[in-house]
Amino acid sequence: MKQKRWLLSCSLLMIGACVPKWEKIAPSITPAMVKKSGSSDATLQVGRATYIAHCGRCHEHQLPDSVSEADWHVVVPGMAWNASLSQTQEHAVRAYIIASQSRK
Ligand code: HEC
């Protein structure tokens, strides 16, 4: 019994640790990203916050570079539906993910 309680608090701690961790890992928005995306800094901030909060709920966060730009255009609408995002959040998260890709 004691061991079970320990396990439970441990997994709760791990869930709690996820968001602060991704605050650090998710690429920060730079002026170059804003320029490249053609979206505003505010839009990219919404996209980043949406990505951190929602895109690791069902699976590990998928890094922007793990999928090609062309594939993100296909994947994001489905994942936005999965996460019940608004159209504004969907647009912002796609702009953020693509702007923060390091290739190209
Ligand atoms: C409600 C659960 C859920 C949420 C929230 C969610 N996903 Fe997913 N995601 C899945 C499932 C299930 C799969 C695997 C099956 C599939 O591809 O549909 C998946 C697969 C993926 C893949 C791999 C797709 C491929 O074809 O290789 C990527 C990339 C991805 N998700 C990104 C995201 C992003 C970005 C977000 C935030 C907008 C997100 N997911 C939010 C459930 C979710």
Side-chain angles (χ1 to χ4, degrees):
M1 188 59 200
K2 236 185 182 171
Q3 205 181 1
K4 266 196 187 150
R5 224 183 287 154
W6 181 83
L7 263 179
L8 179 68
S9 42
C10 211
S11 25
L12 286 178
L13 267 179
M14 275 162 65
I15 294 168
C18 264
V19 167
K21 178 180 148 204
W22 278 88
E23 270 306 335
K24 291 203 190 103
I25 299 175
S28 299
I29 290 144
T30 63
M33 278 165 63
V34 173
K35 198 170 167 204
K36 177 176 148 189
S37 71
S39 297
S40 67
D41 182 75
T43 296
L44 296 185
Q45 295 290 355
V46 169
R48 184 171 186 272
T50 304
Y51 174 79
I52 292 170
H54 295 281
C55 298
R57 271 168 40 199
C58 303
H59 45 66
E60 284 282 301
H61 283 83
Q62 304 293 306
L63 283 168
D65 281 341
S66 67
V67 174
S68 71
E69 178 176 346
D71 285 345
W72 276 121
H73 285 288
V74 179
V75 169
V76 170
M79 292 303 140
W81 187 87
N82 273 344
S84 310
L85 300 185
S86 67
Q87 273 200 331
T88 309
Q89 287 174 314
E90 176 183 337
H91 168 84
V93 85
R94 185 189 334 206
Y96 166 70
I97 288 172
I98 289 169
S100 54
Q101 288 190 307
S102 58
R103 56 174 82 123
K104 279 185 299 176

